[in-house]
PDB file of all heavy atoms in Angstrom:
ATOM      1  N   ASN A  16       0.850  -1.186   0.000  1.00  0.00           N
ATOM      2  CA  ASN A  16       0.000   0.000   0.000  1.00  0.00           C
ATOM      3  C   ASN A  16       0.884   1.233   0.000  1.00  0.00           C
ATOM      4  O   ASN A  16       1.974   1.213   0.595  1.00  0.00           O
ATOM      5  CB  ASN A  16      -0.915   0.022   1.223  1.00  0.00           C
ATOM      6  CG  ASN A  16      -1.967  -1.064   1.173  1.00  0.00           C
ATOM      7  OD1 ASN A  16      -2.937  -0.966   0.432  1.00  0.00           O
ATOM      8  ND2 ASN A  16      -1.774  -2.121   1.945  1.00  0.00           N
ATOM      9  N   TYR A  17       0.405   2.287  -0.638  1.00  0.00           N
ATOM     10  CA  TYR A  17       1.206   3.496  -0.797  1.00  0.00           C
ATOM     11  C   TYR A  17       0.367   4.743  -0.524  1.00  0.00           C
ATOM     12  O   TYR A  17      -0.833   4.782  -0.819  1.00  0.00           O
ATOM     13  CB  TYR A  17       1.756   3.591  -2.222  1.00  0.00           C
ATOM     14  CG  TYR A  17       2.643   2.441  -2.610  1.00  0.00           C
ATOM     15  CD1 TYR A  17       2.136   1.320  -3.244  1.00  0.00           C
ATOM     16  CD2 TYR A  17       4.010   2.476  -2.334  1.00  0.00           C
ATOM     17  CE1 TYR A  17       2.949   0.263  -3.587  1.00  0.00           C
ATOM     18  CE2 TYR A  17       4.838   1.426  -2.686  1.00  0.00           C
ATOM     19  CZ  TYR A  17       4.295   0.313  -3.307  1.00  0.00           C
ATOM     20  OH  TYR A  17       5.115  -0.732  -3.652  1.00  0.00           O
ATOM     21  N   ALA A  18       1.047   5.757  -0.013  1.00  0.00           N
ATOM     22  CA  ALA A  18       0.417   7.062   0.071  1.00  0.00           C
ATOM     23  C   ALA A  18       0.205   7.590  -1.347  1.00  0.00           C
ATOM     24  O   ALA A  18       0.993   7.297  -2.245  1.00  0.00           O
ATOM     25  CB  ALA A  18       1.298   8.013   0.872  1.00  0.00           C
ATOM     26  N   ASP A  19      -0.843   8.361  -1.528  1.00  0.00           N
ATOM     27  CA  ASP A  19      -1.144   8.877  -2.861  1.00  0.00           C
ATOM     28  C   ASP A  19       0.009   9.681  -3.439  1.00  0.00           C
ATOM     29  O   ASP A  19       0.241   9.683  -4.650  1.00  0.00           O
ATOM     30  CB  ASP A  19      -2.402   9.746  -2.808  1.00  0.00           C
ATOM     31  CG  ASP A  19      -3.667   8.918  -2.612  1.00  0.00           C
ATOM     32  OD1 ASP A  19      -3.624   7.686  -2.835  1.00  0.00           O
ATOM     33  OD2 ASP A  19      -4.696   9.504  -2.231  1.00  0.00           O
ATOM     34  N   SER A  20       0.735  10.368  -2.573  1.00  0.00           N
ATOM     35  CA  SER A  20       1.812  11.251  -3.034  1.00  0.00           C
ATOM     36  C   SER A  20       2.979  10.495  -3.665  1.00  0.00           C
ATOM     37  O   SER A  20       3.781  11.093  -4.391  1.00  0.00           O
ATOM     38  CB  SER A  20       2.322  12.111  -1.875  1.00  0.00           C
ATOM     39  OG  SER A  20       2.790  11.291  -0.820  1.00  0.00           O
ATOM     40  N   VAL A  21       3.098   9.205  -3.388  1.00  0.00           N
ATOM     41  CA  VAL A  21       4.234   8.438  -3.919  1.00  0.00           C
ATOM     42  C   VAL A  21       3.801   7.295  -4.829  1.00  0.00           C
ATOM     43  O   VAL A  21       4.649   6.632  -5.430  1.00  0.00           O
ATOM     44  CB  VAL A  21       5.104   7.875  -2.781  1.00  0.00           C
ATOM     45  CG1 VAL A  21       5.532   8.983  -1.828  1.00  0.00           C
ATOM     46  CG2 VAL A  21       4.412   6.758  -2.032  1.00  0.00           C
ATOM     47  N   LYS A  22       2.513   7.084  -4.938  1.00  0.00           N
ATOM     48  CA  LYS A  22       2.008   5.973  -5.744  1.00  0.00           C
ATOM     49  C   LYS A  22       2.473   6.108  -7.184  1.00  0.00           C
ATOM     50  O   LYS A  22       2.392   7.177  -7.784  1.00  0.00           O
ATOM     51  CB  LYS A  22       0.488   5.957  -5.669  1.00  0.00           C
ATOM     52  CG  LYS A  22      -0.153   4.640  -6.032  1.00  0.00           C
ATOM     53  CD  LYS A  22      -1.642   4.662  -5.729  1.00  0.00           C
ATOM     54  CE  LYS A  22      -1.915   4.775  -4.247  1.00  0.00           C
ATOM     55  NZ  LYS A  22      -3.373   4.718  -3.926  1.00  0.00           N
ATOM     56  N   GLY A  23       2.990   5.011  -7.728  1.00  0.00           N
ATOM     57  CA  GLY A  23       3.501   5.021  -9.095  1.00  0.00           C
ATOM     58  C   GLY A  23       4.958   5.412  -9.211  1.00  0.00           C
ATOM     59  O   GLY A  23       5.569   5.242 -10.268  1.00  0.00           O
ATOM     60  N   ARG A  24       5.538   5.931  -8.128  1.00  0.00           N
ATOM     61  CA  ARG A  24       6.953   6.337  -8.150  1.00  0.00           C
ATOM     62  C   ARG A  24       7.790   5.510  -7.187  1.00  0.00           C
ATOM     63  O   ARG A  24       8.966   5.251  -7.447  1.00  0.00           O
ATOM     64  CB  ARG A  24       7.086   7.819  -7.789  1.00  0.00           C
ATOM     65  CG  ARG A  24       6.364   8.751  -8.726  1.00  0.00           C
ATOM     66  CD  ARG A  24       6.674  10.220  -8.400  1.00  0.00           C
ATOM     67  NE  ARG A  24       6.237  10.600  -7.069  1.00  0.00           N
ATOM     68  CZ  ARG A  24       7.038  11.071  -6.123  1.00  0.00           C
ATOM     69  NH1 ARG A  24       8.330  11.223  -6.365  1.00  0.00           N
ATOM     70  NH2 ARG A  24       6.549  11.411  -4.937  1.00  0.00           N
ATOM     71  N   PHE A  25       7.206   5.105  -6.073  1.00  0.00           N
ATOM     72  CA  PHE A  25       7.928   4.344  -5.044  1.00  0.00           C
ATOM     73  C   PHE A  25       7.455   2.896  -5.045  1.00  0.00           C
ATOM     74  O   PHE A  25       6.287   2.612  -5.310  1.00  0.00           O
ATOM     75  CB  PHE A  25       7.687   4.931  -3.659  1.00  0.00           C
ATOM     76  CG  PHE A  25       8.304   6.269  -3.397  1.00  0.00           C
ATOM     77  CD1 PHE A  25       8.855   7.032  -4.420  1.00  0.00           C
ATOM     78  CD2 PHE A  25       8.342   6.789  -2.108  1.00  0.00           C
ATOM     79  CE1 PHE A  25       9.423   8.268  -4.178  1.00  0.00           C
ATOM     80  CE2 PHE A  25       8.898   8.027  -1.849  1.00  0.00           C
ATOM     81  CZ  PHE A  25       9.442   8.768  -2.887  1.00  0.00           C
ATOM     82  N   THR A  26       8.372   1.994  -4.721  1.00  0.00           N
ATOM     83  CA  THR A  26       8.039   0.578  -4.605  1.00  0.00           C
ATOM     84  C   THR A  26       8.648   0.023  -3.330  1.00  0.00           C
ATOM     85  O   THR A  26       9.865   0.121  -3.132  1.00  0.00           O
ATOM     86  CB  THR A  26       8.562  -0.218  -5.807  1.00  0.00           C
ATOM     87  OG1 THR A  26       8.019   0.315  -7.013  1.00  0.00           O
ATOM     88  CG2 THR A  26       8.157  -1.684  -5.685  1.00  0.00           C
ATOM     89  N   ILE A  27       7.811  -0.568  -2.494  1.00  0.00           N
ATOM     90  CA  ILE A  27       8.288  -1.201  -1.268  1.00  0.00           C
ATOM     91  C   ILE A  27       8.408  -2.701  -1.508  1.00  0.00           C
ATOM     92  O   ILE A  27       7.584  -3.306  -2.208  1.00  0.00           O
ATOM     93  CB  ILE A  27       7.358  -0.891  -0.077  1.00  0.00           C
ATOM     94  CG1 ILE A  27       7.964  -1.387   1.236  1.00  0.00           C
ATOM     95  CG2 ILE A  27       5.955  -1.462  -0.296  1.00  0.00           C
ATOM     96  CD1 ILE A  27       7.213  -0.930   2.476  1.00  0.00           C
ATOM     97  N   SER A  28       9.436  -3.303  -0.936  1.00  0.00           N
ATOM     98  CA  SER A  28       9.633  -4.743  -1.079  1.00  0.00           C
ATOM     99  C   SER A  28      10.396  -5.256   0.139  1.00  0.00           C
ATOM    100  O   SER A  28      10.808  -4.480   1.000  1.00  0.00           O
ATOM    101  CB  SER A  28      10.395  -5.065  -2.371  1.00  0.00           C
ATOM    102  OG  SER A  28      11.682  -4.467  -2.346  1.00  0.00           O
ATOM    103  N   ARG A  29      10.564  -6.551   0.194  1.00  0.00           N
ATOM    104  CA  ARG A  29      11.332  -7.153   1.281  1.00  0.00           C
ATOM    105  C   ARG A  29      12.116  -8.328   0.723  1.00  0.00           C
ATOM    106  O   ARG A  29      11.794  -8.856  -0.347  1.00  0.00           O
ATOM    107  CB  ARG A  29      10.415  -7.622   2.404  1.00  0.00           C
ATOM    108  CG  ARG A  29       9.513  -8.792   2.016  1.00  0.00           C
ATOM    109  CD  ARG A  29       8.612  -9.210   3.156  1.00  0.00           C
ATOM    110  NE  ARG A  29       7.911 -10.452   2.902  1.00  0.00           N
ATOM    111  CZ  ARG A  29       6.803 -10.556   2.184  1.00  0.00           C
ATOM    112  NH1 ARG A  29       6.266  -9.487   1.639  1.00  0.00           N
ATOM    113  NH2 ARG A  29       6.238 -11.728   2.025  1.00  0.00           N
ATOM    114  N   ASP A  30      13.132  -8.756   1.474  1.00  0.00           N
ATOM    115  CA  ASP A  30      13.882  -9.926   1.027  1.00  0.00           C
ATOM    116  C   ASP A  30      13.127 -11.190   1.421  1.00  0.00           C
ATOM    117  O   ASP A  30      12.141 -11.137   2.154  1.00  0.00           O
ATOM    118  CB  ASP A  30      15.297  -9.909   1.597  1.00  0.00           C
ATOM    119  CG  ASP A  30      15.324 -10.060   3.116  1.00  0.00           C
ATOM    120  OD1 ASP A  30      14.255 -10.027   3.755  1.00  0.00           O
ATOM    121  OD2 ASP A  30      16.427 -10.203   3.654  1.00  0.00           O
ATOM    122  N   LYS A  31      13.577 -12.330   0.944  1.00  0.00           N
ATOM    123  CA  LYS A  31      12.853 -13.581   1.156  1.00  0.00           C
ATOM    124  C   LYS A  31      12.834 -13.980   2.621  1.00  0.00           C
ATOM    125  O   LYS A  31      11.847 -14.531   3.119  1.00  0.00           O
ATOM    126  CB  LYS A  31      13.466 -14.694   0.313  1.00  0.00           C
ATOM    127  CG  LYS A  31      13.241 -14.527  -1.180  1.00  0.00           C
ATOM    128  CD  LYS A  31      13.802 -15.717  -1.953  1.00  0.00           C
ATOM    129  CE  LYS A  31      13.556 -15.564  -3.442  1.00  0.00           C
ATOM    130  NZ  LYS A  31      14.099 -16.707  -4.218  1.00  0.00           N
ATOM    131  N   VAL A  32      13.905 -13.678   3.329  1.00  0.00           N
ATOM    132  CA  VAL A  32      13.986 -14.044   4.735  1.00  0.00           C
ATOM    133  C   VAL A  32      13.055 -13.187   5.574  1.00  0.00           C
ATOM    134  O   VAL A  32      12.497 -13.637   6.563  1.00  0.00           O
ATOM    135  CB  VAL A  32      15.449 -13.910   5.247  1.00  0.00           C
ATOM    136  CG1 VAL A  32      15.525 -14.176   6.740  1.00  0.00           C
ATOM    137  CG2 VAL A  32      16.352 -14.844   4.468  1.00  0.00           C
ATOM    138  N   GLY A  33      12.882 -11.937   5.145  1.00  0.00           N
ATOM    139  CA  GLY A  33      11.999 -11.034   5.859  1.00  0.00           C
ATOM    140  C   GLY A  33      12.704 -10.124   6.829  1.00  0.00           C
ATOM    141  O   GLY A  33      12.056  -9.376   7.564  1.00  0.00           O
ATOM    142  N   ASN A  34      14.036 -10.151   6.826  1.00  0.00           N
ATOM    143  CA  ASN A  34      14.772  -9.285   7.744  1.00  0.00           C
ATOM    144  C   ASN A  34      15.044  -7.901   7.189  1.00  0.00           C
ATOM    145  O   ASN A  34      15.415  -7.001   7.943  1.00  0.00           O
ATOM    146  CB  ASN A  34      16.112  -9.939   8.107  1.00  0.00           C
ATOM    147  CG  ASN A  34      15.953 -11.028   9.146  1.00  0.00           C
ATOM    148  OD1 ASN A  34      14.856 -11.437   9.463  1.00  0.00           O
ATOM    149  ND2 ASN A  34      17.061 -11.499   9.675  1.00  0.00           N
ATOM    150  N   THR A  35      14.896  -7.735   5.892  1.00  0.00           N
ATOM    151  CA  THR A  35      15.230  -6.462   5.256  1.00  0.00           C
ATOM    152  C   THR A  35      14.079  -5.979   4.394  1.00  0.00           C
ATOM    153  O   THR A  35      13.473  -6.769   3.659  1.00  0.00           O
ATOM    154  CB  THR A  35      16.487  -6.600   4.389  1.00  0.00           C
ATOM    155  OG1 THR A  35      17.558  -7.121   5.185  1.00  0.00           O
ATOM    156  CG2 THR A  35      16.913  -5.255   3.828  1.00  0.00           C
ATOM    157  N   ALA A  36      13.801  -4.698   4.498  1.00  0.00           N
ATOM    158  CA  ALA A  36      12.804  -4.062   3.640  1.00  0.00           C
ATOM    159  C   ALA A  36      13.500  -3.004   2.800  1.00  0.00           C
ATOM    160  O   ALA A  36      14.528  -2.448   3.204  1.00  0.00           O
ATOM    161  CB  ALA A  36      11.706  -3.425   4.487  1.00  0.00           C
ATOM    162  N   PHE A  37      12.926  -2.753   1.643  1.00  0.00           N
ATOM    163  CA  PHE A  37      13.505  -1.801   0.708  1.00  0.00           C
ATOM    164  C   PHE A  37      12.445  -0.795   0.272  1.00  0.00           C
ATOM    165  O   PHE A  37      11.251  -1.090   0.272  1.00  0.00           O
ATOM    166  CB  PHE A  37      14.050  -2.519  -0.531  1.00  0.00           C
ATOM    167  CG  PHE A  37      15.005  -3.628  -0.227  1.00  0.00           C
ATOM    168  CD1 PHE A  37      14.570  -4.950  -0.156  1.00  0.00           C
ATOM    169  CD2 PHE A  37      16.344  -3.367   0.004  1.00  0.00           C
ATOM    170  CE1 PHE A  37      15.442  -5.974   0.129  1.00  0.00           C
ATOM    171  CE2 PHE A  37      17.231  -4.385   0.287  1.00  0.00           C
ATOM    172  CZ  PHE A  37      16.775  -5.697   0.356  1.00  0.00           C
ATOM    173  N   LEU A  38      12.913   0.374  -0.112  1.00  0.00           N
ATOM    174  CA  LEU A  38      12.031   1.367  -0.716  1.00  0.00           C
ATOM    175  C   LEU A  38      12.755   1.921  -1.937  1.00  0.00           C
ATOM    176  O   LEU A  38      13.724   2.670  -1.797  1.00  0.00           O
ATOM    177  CB  LEU A  38      11.683   2.483   0.261  1.00  0.00           C
ATOM    178  CG  LEU A  38      10.637   3.478  -0.256  1.00  0.00           C
ATOM    179  CD1 LEU A  38       9.278   2.792  -0.391  1.00  0.00           C
ATOM    180  CD2 LEU A  38      10.534   4.685   0.678  1.00  0.00           C
ATOM    181  N   GLN A  39      12.309   1.503  -3.110  1.00  0.00           N
ATOM    182  CA  GLN A  39      12.849   2.030  -4.355  1.00  0.00           C
ATOM    183  C   GLN A  39      12.091   3.299  -4.691  1.00  0.00           C
ATOM    184  O   GLN A  39      10.865   3.274  -4.832  1.00  0.00           O
ATOM    185  CB  GLN A  39      12.697   1.000  -5.479  1.00  0.00           C
ATOM    186  CG  GLN A  39      13.158   1.489  -6.835  1.00  0.00           C
ATOM    187  CD  GLN A  39      14.651   1.731  -6.892  1.00  0.00           C
ATOM    188  OE1 GLN A  39      15.430   0.929  -6.377  1.00  0.00           O
ATOM    189  NE2 GLN A  39      15.065   2.827  -7.504  1.00  0.00           N
ATOM    190  N   MET A  40      12.810   4.394  -4.817  1.00  0.00           N
ATOM    191  CA  MET A  40      12.193   5.696  -5.065  1.00  0.00           C
ATOM    192  C   MET A  40      12.664   6.217  -6.416  1.00  0.00           C
ATOM    193  O   MET A  40      13.858   6.447  -6.612  1.00  0.00           O
ATOM    194  CB  MET A  40      12.559   6.675  -3.947  1.00  0.00           C
ATOM    195  CG  MET A  40      12.240   6.157  -2.554  1.00  0.00           C
ATOM    196  SD  MET A  40      12.525   7.372  -1.261  1.00  0.00           S
ATOM    197  CE  MET A  40      14.314   7.541  -1.366  1.00  0.00           C
ATOM    198  N   ASN A  41      11.741   6.364  -7.329  1.00  0.00           N
ATOM    199  CA  ASN A  41      12.043   6.865  -8.668  1.00  0.00           C
ATOM    200  C   ASN A  41      11.352   8.200  -8.899  1.00  0.00           C
ATOM    201  O   ASN A  41      10.394   8.542  -8.213  1.00  0.00           O
ATOM    202  CB  ASN A  41      11.587   5.856  -9.722  1.00  0.00           C
ATOM    203  CG  ASN A  41      12.286   4.535  -9.606  1.00  0.00           C
ATOM    204  OD1 ASN A  41      13.447   4.450  -9.223  1.00  0.00           O
ATOM    205  ND2 ASN A  41      11.588   3.455  -9.958  1.00  0.00           N
ATOM    206  N   ASN A  42      11.837   8.917  -9.897  1.00  0.00           N
ATOM    207  CA  ASN A  42      11.258  10.221 -10.248  1.00  0.00           C
ATOM    208  C   ASN A  42      11.085  11.090  -9.001  1.00  0.00           C
ATOM    209  O   ASN A  42      10.006  11.646  -8.756  1.00  0.00           O
ATOM    210  CB  ASN A  42       9.924  10.022 -10.963  1.00  0.00           C
ATOM    211  CG  ASN A  42       9.391  11.302 -11.573  1.00  0.00           C
ATOM    212  OD1 ASN A  42      10.145  12.236 -11.827  1.00  0.00           O
ATOM    213  ND2 ASN A  42       8.090  11.344 -11.792  1.00  0.00           N
ATOM    214  N   LEU A  43      12.143  11.217  -8.255  1.00  0.00           N
ATOM    215  CA  LEU A  43      12.074  11.968  -7.001  1.00  0.00           C
ATOM    216  C   LEU A  43      11.824  13.448  -7.247  1.00  0.00           C
ATOM    217  O   LEU A  43      12.291  14.017  -8.243  1.00  0.00           O
ATOM    218  CB  LEU A  43      13.361  11.772  -6.207  1.00  0.00           C
ATOM    219  CG  LEU A  43      13.452  10.410  -5.488  1.00  0.00           C
ATOM    220  CD1 LEU A  43      14.882  10.068  -5.136  1.00  0.00           C
ATOM    221  CD2 LEU A  43      12.572  10.427  -4.252  1.00  0.00           C
ATOM    222  N   LYS A  44      11.082  14.043  -6.328  1.00  0.00           N
ATOM    223  CA  LYS A  44      10.718  15.444  -6.407  1.00  0.00           C
ATOM    224  C   LYS A  44      11.246  16.178  -5.182  1.00  0.00           C
ATOM    225  O   LYS A  44      11.458  15.553  -4.133  1.00  0.00           O
ATOM    226  CB  LYS A  44       9.196  15.577  -6.461  1.00  0.00           C
ATOM    227  CG  LYS A  44       8.539  14.795  -7.585  1.00  0.00           C
ATOM    228  CD  LYS A  44       7.025  14.892  -7.499  1.00  0.00           C
ATOM    229  CE  LYS A  44       6.364  14.096  -8.615  1.00  0.00           C
ATOM    230  NZ  LYS A  44       4.883  14.194  -8.568  1.00  0.00           N
ATOM    231  N   PRO A  45      11.425  17.484  -5.279  1.00  0.00           N
ATOM    232  CA  PRO A  45      11.903  18.236  -4.106  1.00  0.00           C
ATOM    233  C   PRO A  45      11.031  18.023  -2.868  1.00  0.00           C
ATOM    234  O   PRO A  45      11.550  18.004  -1.752  1.00  0.00           O
ATOM    235  CB  PRO A  45      11.854  19.682  -4.595  1.00  0.00           C
ATOM    236  CG  PRO A  45      12.082  19.588  -6.062  1.00  0.00           C
ATOM    237  CD  PRO A  45      11.371  18.336  -6.479  1.00  0.00           C
ATOM    238  N   GLU A  46       9.749  17.817  -3.066  1.00  0.00           N
ATOM    239  CA  GLU A  46       8.853  17.608  -1.922  1.00  0.00           C
ATOM    240  C   GLU A  46       9.015  16.244  -1.278  1.00  0.00           C
ATOM    241  O   GLU A  46       8.395  15.962  -0.250  1.00  0.00           O
ATOM    242  CB  GLU A  46       7.390  17.819  -2.330  1.00  0.00           C
ATOM    243  CG  GLU A  46       6.945  17.032  -3.545  1.00  0.00           C
ATOM    244  CD  GLU A  46       7.014  17.863  -4.824  1.00  0.00           C
ATOM    245  OE1 GLU A  46       8.007  18.615  -5.008  1.00  0.00           O
ATOM    246  OE2 GLU A  46       6.090  17.725  -5.652  1.00  0.00           O
ATOM    247  N   ASP A  47       9.833  15.388  -1.858  1.00  0.00           N
ATOM    248  CA  ASP A  47      10.161  14.105  -1.230  1.00  0.00           C
ATOM    249  C   ASP A  47      11.286  14.245  -0.211  1.00  0.00           C
ATOM    250  O   ASP A  47      11.611  13.294   0.496  1.00  0.00           O
ATOM    251  CB  ASP A  47      10.567  13.078  -2.278  1.00  0.00           C
ATOM    252  CG  ASP A  47       9.440  12.709  -3.225  1.00  0.00           C
ATOM    253  OD1 ASP A  47       8.301  12.533  -2.748  1.00  0.00           O
ATOM    254  OD2 ASP A  47       9.706  12.581  -4.440  1.00  0.00           O
ATOM    255  N   THR A  48      11.870  15.432  -0.147  1.00  0.00           N
ATOM    256  CA  THR A  48      12.949  15.670   0.816  1.00  0.00           C
ATOM    257  C   THR A  48      12.442  15.471   2.239  1.00  0.00           C
ATOM    258  O   THR A  48      11.459  16.088   2.653  1.00  0.00           O
ATOM    259  CB  THR A  48      13.501  17.093   0.659  1.00  0.00           C
ATOM    260  OG1 THR A  48      14.122  17.211  -0.621  1.00  0.00           O
ATOM    261  CG2 THR A  48      14.513  17.403   1.752  1.00  0.00           C
ATOM    262  N   ALA A  49      13.110  14.591   2.977  1.00  0.00           N
ATOM    263  CA  ALA A  49      12.680  14.249   4.331  1.00  0.00           C
ATOM    264  C   ALA A  49      13.659  13.256   4.935  1.00  0.00           C
ATOM    265  O   ALA A  49      14.498  12.690   4.231  1.00  0.00           O
ATOM    266  CB  ALA A  49      11.277  13.650   4.319  1.00  0.00           C
ATOM    267  N   VAL A  50      13.504  13.041   6.226  1.00  0.00           N
ATOM    268  CA  VAL A  50      14.160  11.904   6.874  1.00  0.00           C
ATOM    269  C   VAL A  50      13.193  10.730   6.773  1.00  0.00           C
ATOM    270  O   VAL A  50      12.032  10.843   7.156  1.00  0.00           O
ATOM    271  CB  VAL A  50      14.497  12.195   8.339  1.00  0.00           C
ATOM    272  CG1 VAL A  50      15.108  10.963   8.999  1.00  0.00           C
ATOM    273  CG2 VAL A  50      15.455  13.383   8.439  1.00  0.00           C
ATOM    274  N   TYR A  51      13.689   9.626   6.256  1.00  0.00           N
ATOM    275  CA  TYR A  51      12.868   8.442   6.043  1.00  0.00           C
ATOM    276  C   TYR A  51      13.153   7.427   7.157  1.00  0.00           C
ATOM    277  O   TYR A  51      14.312   7.116   7.440  1.00  0.00           O
ATOM    278  CB  TYR A  51      13.142   7.832   4.679  1.00  0.00           C
ATOM    279  CG  TYR A  51      12.503   8.615   3.556  1.00  0.00           C
ATOM    280  CD1 TYR A  51      12.984   9.871   3.194  1.00  0.00           C
ATOM    281  CD2 TYR A  51      11.394   8.122   2.874  1.00  0.00           C
ATOM    282  CE1 TYR A  51      12.381  10.609   2.190  1.00  0.00           C
ATOM    283  CE2 TYR A  51      10.779   8.843   1.863  1.00  0.00           C
ATOM    284  CZ  TYR A  51      11.280  10.092   1.525  1.00  0.00           C
ATOM    285  OH  TYR A  51      10.677  10.815   0.526  1.00  0.00           O
ATOM    286  N   PHE A  52      12.075   6.927   7.742  1.00  0.00           N
ATOM    287  CA  PHE A  52      12.159   5.973   8.846  1.00  0.00           C
ATOM    288  C   PHE A  52      11.475   4.671   8.435  1.00  0.00           C
ATOM    289  O   PHE A  52      10.451   4.678   7.765  1.00  0.00           O
ATOM    290  CB  PHE A  52      11.447   6.508  10.082  1.00  0.00           C
ATOM    291  CG  PHE A  52      11.999   7.783  10.628  1.00  0.00           C
ATOM    292  CD1 PHE A  52      11.547   9.009  10.169  1.00  0.00           C
ATOM    293  CD2 PHE A  52      12.975   7.766  11.624  1.00  0.00           C
ATOM    294  CE1 PHE A  52      12.049  10.193  10.668  1.00  0.00           C
ATOM    295  CE2 PHE A  52      13.478   8.947  12.131  1.00  0.00           C
ATOM    296  CZ  PHE A  52      13.018  10.165  11.655  1.00  0.00           C
ATOM    297  N   CYS A  53      12.031   3.570   8.889  1.00  0.00           N
ATOM    298  CA  CYS A  53      11.372   2.289   8.672  1.00  0.00           C
ATOM    299  C   CYS A  53      10.788   1.803  10.000  1.00  0.00           C
ATOM    300  O   CYS A  53      11.275   2.139  11.068  1.00  0.00           O
ATOM    301  CB  CYS A  53      12.337   1.246   8.117  1.00  0.00           C
ATOM    302  SG  CYS A  53      13.839   0.996   9.073  1.00  0.00           S
ATOM    303  N   LYS A  54       9.740   1.021   9.871  1.00  0.00           N
ATOM    304  CA  LYS A  54       9.091   0.451  11.042  1.00  0.00           C
ATOM    305  C   LYS A  54       8.681  -0.974  10.735  1.00  0.00           C
ATOM    306  O   LYS A  54       8.054  -1.235   9.707  1.00  0.00           O
ATOM    307  CB  LYS A  54       7.859   1.263  11.427  1.00  0.00           C
ATOM    308  CG  LYS A  54       7.184   0.757  12.703  1.00  0.00           C
ATOM    309  CD  LYS A  54       5.900   1.524  13.002  1.00  0.00           C
ATOM    310  CE  LYS A  54       4.742   1.034  12.170  1.00  0.00           C
ATOM    311  NZ  LYS A  54       3.456   1.643  12.596  1.00  0.00           N
ATOM    312  N   PHE A  55       9.072  -1.890  11.603  1.00  0.00           N
ATOM    313  CA  PHE A  55       8.631  -3.283  11.514  1.00  0.00           C
ATOM    314  C   PHE A  55       7.689  -3.516  12.688  1.00  0.00           C
ATOM    315  O   PHE A  55       7.977  -3.096  13.814  1.00  0.00           O
ATOM    316  CB  PHE A  55       9.796  -4.256  11.606  1.00  0.00           C
ATOM    317  CG  PHE A  55      10.701  -4.285  10.402  1.00  0.00           C
ATOM    318  CD1 PHE A  55      10.548  -3.390   9.355  1.00  0.00           C
ATOM    319  CD2 PHE A  55      11.720  -5.227  10.306  1.00  0.00           C
ATOM    320  CE1 PHE A  55      11.371  -3.428   8.240  1.00  0.00           C
ATOM    321  CE2 PHE A  55      12.556  -5.274   9.197  1.00  0.00           C
ATOM    322  CZ  PHE A  55      12.388  -4.364   8.174  1.00  0.00           C
TER     323      PHE A  55
END
């Protein structure tokens, strides 16, 4: 699931083991500037 502001540009995934999550961010915009936090 994605926030509307990033839908179509960001992709979240995880590894097979489940210990690592990823956020692929494409077509970045100045308004994407932020500190990014992960939560499990």
Side-chain angles (χ1 to χ4, degrees):
N16 291 285
Y17 300 92
D19 288 343
S20 58
V21 306
K22 200 172 294 183
R24 300 187 298 121
F25 291 11
T26 302
I27 188 171
S28 61
R29 67 181 190 278
D30 66 352
K31 291 184 179 180
V32 175
N34 282 11
T35 305
F37 307 96
L38 186 68
Q39 177 66 43
M40 306 186 294
N41 298 327
N42 190 22
L43 283 160
K44 305 175 181 181
E46 52 263 42
D47 295 318
T48 295
V50 177
Y51 284 71
F52 299 88
C53 54
K54 183 184 80 172
F55 289 6

